[in-house]
Amino acid sequence: MHPPTRRAIHRRLIRQAVLLFVVWPGFFLAIALAAASDAEQFIPILVRGVFVTPVLLPLNLWGAVTALRMHRTLSAHPWRLVKCEVVVPGTHGWRPREYDPATAREARVPAILSIGREVLTSTPFKRHVSVRLDHVWCAGPPGPGAVVSEPGGARPFRLALRKDLTASTTRADAT
């Protein structure tokens, strides 16, 4: 595996493991200690725990599963260069900013890529890519479930179908 990619995936796996095996047990231990020490403070802490746990724990598990899937794909498939096109949907209000020489920052838009006939987006979290991107590094078959990165491989992400744009593209091709 490419060294910057290995470091990025390793950091992601470590972060998810720390959340699952250190932060969550510590959170439940704090609730238990609050219950043992003072009954008056226990109720507000318990109420917060009841509201936070069903939302954040599944998100943490989802992030861990995604990181493991990405690691498995990158371990089984080498990087290869794949031609793509960045899709900037006008219906969602995204307008690429022009290159600003004062800040020396390049315009970046949400990662919505057209590879072949499919319109794909980053998952599970939104990623941004350069407006000028015309090739990506891809591990696995190009399409949903593939792992891609801008050339360099240090910020890989998985791809999923972008259904709202795929349907409009398909209708435009049919007419």
Side-chain angles (χ1 to χ4, degrees), residues 5-17:
T5 305
R6 181 177 304 137
R7 283 192 295 275
I9 295 298
H10 183 69
R11 274 193 316 267
R12 201 170 289 164
L13 288 171
I14 294 294
R15 186 179 318 124
Q16 294 300 326

Side-chain angles (χ1 to χ4, degrees), residues 25-101:
F27 179 70
F28 294 129
L29 181 63
I31 289 176
L33 289 175
S37 65
D38 188 7
E40 189 175 303
Q41 290 293 335
F42 174 67
I43 299 299
I45 292 173
L46 179 64
V47 168
R48 288 183 186 121
V50 165
F51 286 116
V52 167
T53 301
V55 174
L56 294 181
L57 187 58
L59 273 173
N60 184 211
L61 291 171
W62 184 38
V65 167
T66 302
L68 287 171
R69 284 181 180 166
M70 191 179 310
H71 175 68
R72 186 176 59 221
T73 302
L74 287 168
S75 297
H77 302 283
W79 285 123
R80 66 183 183 286
L81 205 57
V82 173
K83 188 171 177 67
C84 73
E85 180 182 339
V86 175
V87 177
V88 183
T91 58
H92 298 288
W94 288 104
R95 290 188 197 139
R97 295 185 314 262
E98 295 298 321
Y99 175 75
D100 184 10

